[in-house]
Amino acid sequence: MTAIDSAHYVQGFAPESRPDARVLVLGTMPGVASLAAGRYYAHPRNAFWPIAAALLDFDAALPYEARIAALNAAGVALWDVLAACERPGSLDAAIAAKSAQPNDFAGFLAAHPRVFRVCFNGGSAQALFRRHVLPGLAGIGRDLEYVALPSTSPAHAAMPYAAKLQAWRAIRPDQRMVP
């Protein structure tokens, strides 16, 4: 087993959810700014909160706790694929593959029986979920919709905000997905 570089070992947050959640939005692992602030999507240039606010009809300038409450009231839960990993900096590409420790999704889904859609904030979240989580969910007894969304990270600035906003409509529990 590879030794962990404790200087770059990071642990994520607990999920922000209510038992009646219907959509789960997954990032990979909080970045440096989020870890320092102790809250999801704390980097000022991350588009997550402006997009979520626009789609779920709340003010992106609300205090963090109020934004979480608005997200949860809309039926949306927030979490990350990884519980812990070794990663210098904030880039998903810097995650040491052998250090990736996924969160307990079987337990989360058992506690949130109404979740029917899982949305991935970026390709890394989706790839890590497929590799580390999906094989263990074969026996959960329900089908889930999986939706890949463009990353809201400032590192993914090539896509215009309007295009991201359109793609992110999938976080709305009332939004029908076209196969």
Side-chain angles (χ1 to χ4, degrees):
M1 183 154 106
T2 307
I4 301 247
D5 179 355
S6 62
H8 297 126
Y9 181 79
V10 292
Q11 289 184 282
F13 306 137
E16 293 287 0
S17 63
R18 293 190 337 195
D20 63 345
R22 296 181 311 268
V23 173
L24 173 60
V25 174
L26 294 175
T28 303
M29 169 62 70
V32 171
S34 293
L35 291 168
R39 58 183 203 215
Y40 286 101
Y41 302 107
H43 192 288
R45 289 192 351 250
N46 192 298
F48 176 80
W49 289 113
I51 287 172
L55 294 172
L56 302 173
D57 198 28
F58 65 88
D59 184 352
L62 288 171
Y64 179 73
E65 294 76 17
R67 285 180 279 156
I68 290 293
L71 197 70
N72 290 167
V76 179
L78 194 57
W79 207 14
D80 286 305
V81 174
L82 299 182
C85 67
E86 182 183 327
R87 183 197 64 207
S90 292
L91 295 178
D92 290 344
I95 293 171
K98 291 183 179 182
S99 73
Q101 300 170 30
N103 276 309
D104 175 15
F105 286 93
F108 179 89
L109 293 168
H112 299 82
R114 294 183 65 199
V115 168
F116 69 93
R117 183 179 300 145
V118 178
C119 297
F120 301 103
N121 189 348
S124 294
Q126 181 183 26
L128 285 165
F129 186 89
R130 283 183 183 217
R131 180 176 181 159
H132 296 284
V133 178
L134 197 57
L137 294 182
I140 65 166
R142 70 182 194 234
D143 290 330
L144 297 169
E145 294 176 7
Y146 296 104
V147 182
L149 299 172
S151 175
T152 59
S153 167
H156 184 64
M159 178 180 267
Y161 175 83
K164 286 184 183 183
L165 184 64
Q166 180 63 29
W168 272 80
R169 290 176 136 340
I171 69 167
R172 294 177 49 117
D174 62 348
Q175 181 72 34
R176 283 185 43 95
M177 301 307 300
V178 178

